[in-house]
Amino acid sequence: MKIDLHGKTALITASTGGIGFAIAQGLAESGAEVVLNGRSEASVSRARDKLNAAVVGAKIHTHIADLSSAQGVETLLKGLPAIDILVNNAGIFGPKDFFATDDETWEAYWQTNVMSGVRLSRALLPDMVKKGWGRVVFISSESARNIPVDMVHYGVSKTAQLSLARGLAKVVAGSGVTVNSVLPGPTISDGFATMMADEVKRTGKSLETLGKEFVMSQRPSSVIQRAATVDEVANMVVYVCSTQASATSGAALRVDGGVVDDIV
Ligand code: NAD
């Protein structure tokens, strides 16, 4: 199977690092024009340079916008090229005791993890439907189904994304546009590195070793018994954005290393 996305333009939110950047790279390698999004001039230009070096001839747009508010999403929507593929990757995560999680934190998770995708889908899906082709992907998490006791606020936002993706798939049924969610498990991204920074300093262990230890202690049901790489997650996303994935819509696709102890 050869995935060819020449002629398609993809917006990947929060794509200056981590899983988002790997998705942008995977889509660019498949020929798509990509729109990188980040919150600062420095981060987007660093990401553009990195992508240019990785994919010769890549067609790259950059848009600075903070997607944690309606206003930020409006900023992103201004001046965007026509979008065929929307990857809602922007997401924040971090452990916090339920009883110490205040309304402000709940609201921040809701706005960034859920509402950014609601707002972008509402703005971009109608043109995809008009054209009769489009792809929308929500980067959810195994935590949508396997709610972490130390991140209930995060789990709730990730379960909401599954509901949103399934609902939107039904809204655009029969149009040629597919909407899906992808559920990564623990993945060694920039965000994961930040979460583990103190541990790296304290123990001198590599991120891969700490990723494996995290999986074995916190997600022992993992079948691969290690954390995934960002490229392993991106591969699934690139496939679901491909023309070949035309019969997959309304699905929740796991790239969680088997953490969710369930057959389907
Ligand atoms: P990351 O922290 O490595 O990268 C996220 C990027 O988003 C960063 O470049 C950050 O600057 C940017 N960002 C954060 N808030 C933003 C905002 N308001 N507006 C614009 N950009 C913003 O994260 P990651 O680990 O690559 O996670 C990406 C997605 O994957 C998230 O939705 C996350 O919930 C999901 N996920 C991650 C893991 C994991 O283990 N890393 C597992 C399951 C799901």
Side-chain angles (χ1 to χ4, degrees):
M1 179 168 58
K2 176 151 176 29
I3 293 176
D4 183 1
L5 289 169
H6 282 94
K8 309 289 187 202
T9 302
L11 164 64
I12 308 98
T13 64
S15 45
T16 57
I19 293 171
F21 182 83
I23 294 169
Q25 181 169 335
L27 292 171
E29 282 166 352
S30 303
E33 205 163 313
V34 296
V35 181
L36 295 176
N37 155 245
R39 285 172 293 179
S40 70
E41 180 58 51
S43 68
V44 294
S45 57
R46 231 185 354 257
R48 185 185 47 223
D49 292 349
K50 196 171 152 195
L51 191 54
N52 262 324
V55 186
V56 178
K59 290 199 183 117
I60 307 166
H61 307 253
T62 55
H63 278 254
I64 301 165
D66 182 331
L67 305 183
S68 60
S69 69
Q71 203 185 9
V73 174
E74 278 307 311
T75 303
L76 176 62
L77 287 169
K78 265 184 224 141
L80 269 187
I83 298 297
D84 307 289
I85 297 169
L86 164 64
V87 182
N88 289 303
N89 169 71
I92 49 175
F93 54 92
K96 197 160 187 149
D97 176 73
F98 172 77
F99 295 103
T101 309
D102 56 18
D103 285 6
E104 208 181 317
T105 306
W106 275 96
E107 189 58 25
Y109 273 73
W110 187 254
Q111 290 295 323
T112 305
N113 294 6
V114 184
M115 288 309 297
S116 63
V118 170
R119 291 173 177 132
L120 288 169
S121 303
R122 195 166 51 206
L124 300 176
L125 265 172
D127 278 352
M128 293 183 198
V129 170
K130 244 183 250 160
K131 278 191 273 186
W133 196 93
R135 299 283 181 261
V136 177
V137 182
F138 288 83
I139 307 303
S140 175
S141 169
E142 52 87 19
S143 299
R145 298 191 54 204
N146 186 27
I147 318 299
V149 72
D150 58 346
M151 293 204 281
V152 175
H153 53 300
Y154 176 69
V156 168
S157 72
K158 291 287 153 179
T159 312
Q161 287 184 308
L162 301 190
S163 176
L164 180 56
R166 177 74 192 166
L168 291 180
K170 294 203 272 188
V171 168
V172 300
S175 67
V177 179
T178 68
V179 186
N180 293 286
S181 43
V182 165
L183 286 66
T187 304
I188 302 174
S189 65
D190 299 340
F192 184 81
T194 306
M195 204 163 85
M196 289 291 165
D198 289 347
E199 272 305 278
V200 171
K201 230 185 262 165
R202 198 178 60 79
T203 62
K205 291 178 182 171
S206 70
L207 270 178
E208 286 69 27
T209 302
L210 287 171
K212 188 173 176 61
E213 286 178 4
F214 175 85
V215 166
M216 298 311 286
S217 63
Q218 307 296 314
R219 305 287 190 275
S221 54
S222 169
V223 175
I224 62 171
Q225 304 201 340
R226 62 173 172 83
T229 65
V230 290
D231 292 335
E232 287 175 312
V233 175
N235 289 340
M236 171 73 95
V237 179
V238 172
Y239 167 70
V240 81
C241 291
S242 70
T243 52
Q244 287 94 333
S246 43
T248 300
S249 193
L253 304 163
R254 292 166 51 189
V255 56
D256 66 343
V259 164
V260 177
D261 192 4
D262 200 348
I263 295 169
V264 287

